[in-house]
Amino acid sequence: MHVMITGAGGMIGRKFAESIANDDRIGDRTVETLTLVDIVPPDVATDFTGTRNVVEADLSNEGVAADLVARQPDVLVHLAAIVSGEAEADLEKGYRINLDGTRALLDAIRAAHETDGYTPRVVYASSLAVFGAPFPDKIGDDFFLTPLTSYGTQKAMGELLLDDYSRRGFLDGVGIRFPTICIRPGKPNKAASGFFSGILREPLEGKEAVLPVDDDVRHYHASPRSAVGFLRHAAALDTQMLGSRRNMTMPGVSATVADQIEALRNVAGDETVALIRREPDPTIEKIVSGWPRDFDVRRAREAGFTAEDSFEEIIRVYIEDEMEGRAPRA
């Protein structure tokens, strides 16, 4: 089996590629070829024992998508995107990368299908930002898409394209609406949600962190480990159970900022929590106020997707995966 990952240099792309290097079985098939695509050559999955291709490419450039699709991967995991805060700040760039790049990729698949019947599994990384307020207490998969950001609008358009091209038989799509991934390792990115990780990651490493919103802000989270699990499961899923509705919200943990901080206290103690500094940011507060808080994900659970059950579990996953099991103790 040939797996291609666009956006392979990003955090989730890197971890997914590394998981394949560690375990090359996806479902009942073996990954024999792994193609990693990003605008900067991704240096990941170097331990992969099969054929490993690294492609430096920007999907929004003319001809790039067709060249990638000509490799005919069996599974194409489309993670390439710019994140929420950057997409909101730079409208043109957001639509060029998040919409035009996605459509170019799907249209290249359509052209290949019409030529020789090529029909790959496409796993599309979407977002909770496709939903807009006012919200019910728990948002189900049948809740209408009314995004309140340009990023959410771009992702919603991608979802509709995935449904339509799957319906027409050009591809076999699975759309994954990721919870906010927490705790993200490494340096902060430009995502408006970055502080959710920062107020945990930095204190766990003995550094000060800035909290730009109130403690009562509630959001929906899953760990990077769960994100990789979503992708692996989607790559091998029997899509007959999905029918024409190919996009699903993944399982996660609904928690307030106060819940996050209390979980951090339970795991790492008061001195670690004391490293969080409150510094309100009206721009971030405005963006976050329009985000959903909790979800009814029965479709995803029925399809076999799983995630953590508590925020304390999310913190412990980070400690195990990124800190070799060592962290400040309560």
Side-chain angles (χ1 to χ4, degrees):
M1 178 169 64
H2 179 185
V3 174
M4 177 179 287
I5 308 170
T6 70
M11 185 273 290
I12 295 175
R14 291 197 309 272
K15 285 186 171 292
F16 180 49
E18 289 164 0
S19 82
I20 293 174
N22 292 328
D23 178 5
D24 63 6
R25 296 288 291 179
I26 292 184
D28 60 359
R29 303 178 69 184
T30 299
V31 180
E32 298 168 340
T33 302
L34 180 62
T35 298
L36 309 174
V37 183
D38 212 319
I39 57 173
V40 175
D43 184 20
V44 294
T46 54
D47 296 331
F48 180 62
T49 58
T51 300
R52 174 179 170 271
N53 306 309
V54 176
V55 181
E56 182 180 358
D58 183 339
L59 271 172
S60 64
N61 290 339
E62 186 174 356
V64 169
D67 289 343
L68 293 175
V69 169
R71 299 169 182 258
Q72 297 216 333
D74 301 288
V75 176
L76 201 162
V77 177
H78 183 39
L79 298 171
I82 64 169
V83 292
S84 53
E86 188 175 4
E88 194 68 14
D90 191 333
L91 183 68
E92 182 175 348
K93 184 177 181 181
Y95 274 93
R96 180 172 61 83
I97 300 297
N98 294 343
L99 177 60
D100 297 344
T102 297
R103 184 170 183 186
L105 186 64
L106 299 185
D107 278 345
I109 293 170
R110 174 178 60 83
H113 175 85
E114 292 173 344
T115 298
D116 61 15
Y118 173 60
T119 311
R121 168 65 53 84
V122 175
V123 180
Y124 173 64
S126 189
S127 166
L128 304 181
V130 299
F131 299 111
F135 302 121
D137 290 339
K138 286 195 174 186
I139 299 170
D141 283 308
D142 55 352
F143 190 70
F144 48 81
L145 307 186
T146 53
L148 298 177
T149 63
S150 295
Y151 176 75
T153 301
Q154 293 147 16
K155 286 297 183 180
M157 290 175 174
E159 287 194 10
L160 292 171
L161 286 169
L162 190 78
D163 277 342
D164 193 38
Y165 282 33
S166 295
R167 177 182 65 85
R168 288 179 172 270
F170 303 145
L171 52 85
D172 186 15
V174 181
I176 290 176
R177 297 185 191 115
F178 282 106
T180 288
I181 301 304
C182 190
I183 304 168
R184 299 181 69 93
K187 297 180 180 179
N189 63 16
K190 295 183 180 180
S193 60
F195 71 88
F196 286 118
S197 289
I199 62 171
L200 305 170
R201 180 184 58 236
E202 269 64 55
L204 284 170
E205 295 173 356
K207 301 175 184 177
E208 188 176 77
V210 173
L211 173 60
V213 302
D214 289 338
D215 285 25
D216 61 357
V217 167
R218 176 177 291 275
H219 199 44
Y220 189 71
H221 310 265
S223 73
R225 185 190 293 179
S226 288
V228 169
F230 300 154
L231 295 176
R232 293 186 69 98
H233 189 65
L237 182 67
D238 180 355
T239 54
Q240 287 189 347
M241 67 176 61
L242 302 183
S244 61
R245 298 170 59 203
R246 296 302 183 104
N247 298 281
M248 294 173 288
T249 303
M250 293 294 100
V253 175
S254 175
T256 63
V257 169
D259 293 333
Q260 288 185 270
I261 293 172
E262 188 59 28
L264 180 64
R265 191 188 312 277
N266 291 339
V267 172
D270 291 336
E271 290 185 3
T272 302
V273 170
L275 292 169
I276 300 172
R277 174 166 55 86
R278 287 166 170 77
E279 187 175 299
D281 183 325
T283 300
I284 297 297
E285 289 176 339
K286 182 178 180 181
I287 292 174
V288 172
S289 68
W291 285 355
R293 300 180 177 187
D294 200 1
F295 293 85
D296 177 351
V297 295
R298 69 186 70 186
R299 284 188 75 224
R301 291 197 181 279
E302 289 171 357
F305 291 94
T306 61
E308 291 79 19
D309 294 319
S310 70
F311 214 96
E312 189 168 321
E313 186 180 354
I314 288 175
I315 294 174
R316 295 190 185 281
V317 164
Y318 178 81
I319 292 170
E320 290 174 11
D321 291 355
E322 307 298 335
M323 302 182 70
E324 298 180 340
R326 299 189 295 271
R329 297 296 178 184

